[in-house]
Amino acid sequence: MSYKFDFEFLADRWPDFVAGAWLTIQLTVLSIAFGFVLGTICALARAYGGPLLSRLTGVYVETIRNTPLLIQIFIVYFGLSSLGLKLSA
């Protein structure tokens, strides 16, 4: 049994793949930077904040850690649309 893989149809779409890869890299760098800043702020608030701020930060961290990512995406997508900000899928 032999297979013949034909990927010539992808040659026309090569610029789209490059643009998609570049967008992925940009979003990755932005996400890492945002996550680092937010994580540092939460760590400082939890370590050096008062008891109320420390407890609120702990609740936020545990909520994010214990919720599946797909549920978080649904909450953001549908929550923002209920506030009047419509996002395209």
Side-chain angles (χ1 to χ4, degrees):
M1 184 181 294
S2 67
Y3 294 100
K4 181 182 176 206
F5 296 107
D6 183 22
F7 294 108
E8 279 190 40
F9 67 95
L10 293 176
D12 296 336
R13 294 291 178 193
W14 183 250
D16 294 334
F17 287 121
V18 172
W22 178 241
L23 180 62
T24 300
I25 291 169
Q26 289 174 331
L27 289 174
T28 301
V29 169
L30 184 68
S31 298
I32 289 171
F34 179 71
F36 178 77
V37 170
L38 184 63
T40 302
I41 290 171
C42 286
L44 291 173
R46 198 161 186 189
Y48 299 113
L52 179 62
L53 187 59
S54 178
R55 199 167 289 250
L56 285 174
T57 305
V59 167
Y60 166 73
V61 168
E62 291 303 320
T63 301
I64 295 299
R65 286 175 65 188
N66 294 322
T67 308
L69 181 60
L70 184 61
I71 301 300
Q72 293 174 16
I73 292 170
F74 282 163
I75 290 170
V76 169
Y77 182 76
F78 293 115
L80 289 178
S81 66
S82 69
L83 294 175
L85 180 64
K86 300 289 183 188
L87 301 174
S88 67

